Amino acid sequence: MPLIHASDGVNWKKKHLIANPYIRIGLAFTAVVYLALALSSVEVNWVRVQEGLGRGAAFVGSFLHPDFTSRWNEIFEGILESLTMTIVSTALGILLSIPVGIGAAGNIAPFPVYFLCRSIIAVSRTFPEVIIAIFFVAMFGFGALAGMLTLTFATIGFMAKLLAEDIEDIDPVQTEAIRSTGAGFFQMLTWSVQPQVMPRLIGLSVYRLDINFRESAVIGIVGAGGIGATLNTSIDRYEYDTTAAILIVIIVIVMCAEYVSGIIRKRLQ
Amino acid sequence: MPLIKKNGAVFWTPKDSKKQLMVWFGWFIGLMLIFLSWRSISANTIWVFAADAPEQLRLMIMRMFPPKFEYLNKLWKPLWDTLNIATLGTLLGIVIAVPVAFLAASNTTPSRKLVRPFAMLILVSSRSVNSLIWALLLVTIVGPGIFAGIIAIALRSVGFVGKLLYEAIEEIDRTQVEAVTATGAAPSQVFSYGIVPQIMPAFAGISLYRWDINIRESTILGYVGAGGIGLNLSASLSILAWSQVSVILISVLGTVIASEWISARIRKMLI
């Protein structure tokens, strides 16, 4: 703790977050210069914003009287499609992410396999789901199949990375114990690696289910099925009451999913 | 660990039979759900279109190569905009998220019955709605441009930063707060000397992590008109200029890798 000797005795000062003063001041200076440049390049058409504020207020107000009825069929079908996409893509994604994750764990995979699996993870994690969806739509045509494959692809990168990190962190003593009984590679995986990573894997799967549902609401904007298309149409038509209804349905489902996944994760620990 | 006697020999199983039955039942329900979902997707798919996907992929790759690298000169401004949307959006998001997080944490909230559920509702709503949907809405409200993008990123970040931050606040060490209170400190002093130093590392980590995600998300906001490189992506796709699309993808890849490198460096410095 830094102490400062002042004329009236010794004062105590709070510790800085960054200890090195040169880096601290340098970072602060860079931040200020960047902020000035960035803010000056933001063009805001205040007249347009003022015009839009009424529409914004109408949108916020529509949450008080959401319209579930007039487009109920579209909403119901969209949500159902989103849910089916979510379930299949999460299951398929986890299934495929397990071999990739095992291959990407440095402590049990040989280098060529490690490199290949890490590359798959990197590509899958770099591009946002929407960009991947655009390409899958171009390949497989409009609809839920393209969306399902997009989410599967994104799930592989997410799950495999975390699984690989988890496998790299396991207790090597247990692996050694199983190996010393004369177990082969797959027996080692089942009896030493699997029991150690399983609780976290299940927790992550539930979390990814949640993410996939939220993402499934978005990729419909580029034609990959799900509730996104309905949402997009309702916004384009300025039917804010329907928009609010869809958003409320999404929020409620996400809240339920989070509540259930919280219970599941607590039980596993 | 249960042991099972069979034909005079003793076998070891990891679970007893009742638990095993429950596990099998769970698997059964899960697999049924997956199967039904898959059937519904399959029924709505025109398989004739889907079947020539490999051919489509081959054509797409052929059209994308060679990338038209001259186009990169037109991308610097959109890339700068993308960076600004992510950074300014993250900053605005943090400014809103910090007070909400303190209202949501059960040990700092002024009222657990009234204020906390309201703060939680803000966080959940913000998190449930993707930034692209926020952007879609904001483009119709404030008009197209990077201003809509910044607000969209900010609105999505509030839930993320707020949630992780309030969890960090709830995990702080009570004794340090008590120690500061015992010296006769005012509430504001307790706050800045007892609570803030404990959550600062977590806060810095969370903010950086969100900034990283936001860089990725801001690359597509332009697709709905909210500024940044997504605007060029949607324009190039709509005129089928695939050799420009590949340049855009490469620059997105470069931006994301650069941002990950920067955030890893800053993280090392801070934590």
Side-chain angles (χ1 to χ4, degrees), chain A residues 12-14 17-18 23 27 34-35 37-39 41-46 48-49 51-53 55-57 59 80-81 83-85 87-88 91 122-123 125-131 134-136 138-145 148 158 191 198 207 210 214-215 217-218 221-222 228 231-232 235-236 238 240 243 247 250-252 254-255 258, chain B residues 12 14 30 33-34 36-38 40-41 44-47 49-50 52-54 56-57 60 64 77 80-81 83-84 87-88 91 121 124-125 127-130 132-134 136-137 139-144 146-147 150 156 160 163 192-193 196-197 200-201 204 216-217 219-220 223-224 233 237 242 245 249-250 252-253 256-257 260 266 269-270:
Chain A
W12 173 84
K13 245 182 94 192
K14 252 204 296 194
L17 189 62
I18 305 167
I23 296 179
L27 266 183
Y34 167 75
L35 269 184
L37 281 174
L39 284 174
S41 76
V42 178
E43 285 161 21
V44 184
N45 184 350
W46 289 110
R48 175 70 181 79
V49 172
E51 278 171 16
L53 279 182
R55 232 173 287 155
F59 169 68
L80 204 64
E81 199 171 55
L83 285 173
T84 56
M85 277 158 58
I87 291 171
V88 178
V123 172
R125 281 171 45 83
T126 304
F127 292 110
E129 274 91 342
V130 174
I131 292 186
I134 292 170
F135 286 94
F136 277 127
M139 279 162 62
F140 292 92
F142 290 100
L145 181 71
M148 190 276 280
F158 177 88
W191 298 107
M198 209 53 187
Y207 179 46
D210 191 29
R214 272 181 272 174
E215 288 296 330
V218 180
I221 295 172
V222 295
L231 189 64
N232 196 3
I235 294 173
D236 280 348
Y238 298 104
Y240 287 144
T243 310
L247 291 180
I250 294 176
I251 291 170
V252 168
V254 171
M255 272 170 91
E258 234 167 57
Chain B
W12 172 82
L33 256 178
I34 294 166
L36 287 178
S37 303
W38 166 248
S40 126
I41 291 176
N44 291 324
T45 303
I46 304 167
W47 283 102
F49 283 147
D52 71 338
Q56 293 294 336
L57 179 67
M60 217 151 64
M64 280 166 81
K77 170 78 172 117
W80 168 247
D81 282 346
L83 175 72
N84 290 342
T87 313
L88 297 177
L91 286 177
L121 185 69
V124 173
S125 322
R127 216 144 22 98
S128 312
V129 182
N130 194 290
L132 197 65
I133 297 175
W134 284 122
L136 209 61
L137 274 167
V139 166
T140 66
I141 292 172
V142 303
I146 74 171
F147 186 56
I150 292 172
R156 174 67 181 82
F160 183 92
K163 179 180 191 233
S192 64
Y193 290 91
V196 170
M200 215 49 198
R216 222 166 292 195
E217 298 214 327
T219 57
I220 45 159
Y223 203 86
V224 295
L233 181 67
L237 278 171
W242 289 94
V245 172
L249 290 185
I250 292 169
V252 168
L253 193 73
V256 171
I257 291 173
E260 261 181 17
I266 298 181
M269 245 187 279
L270 289 179

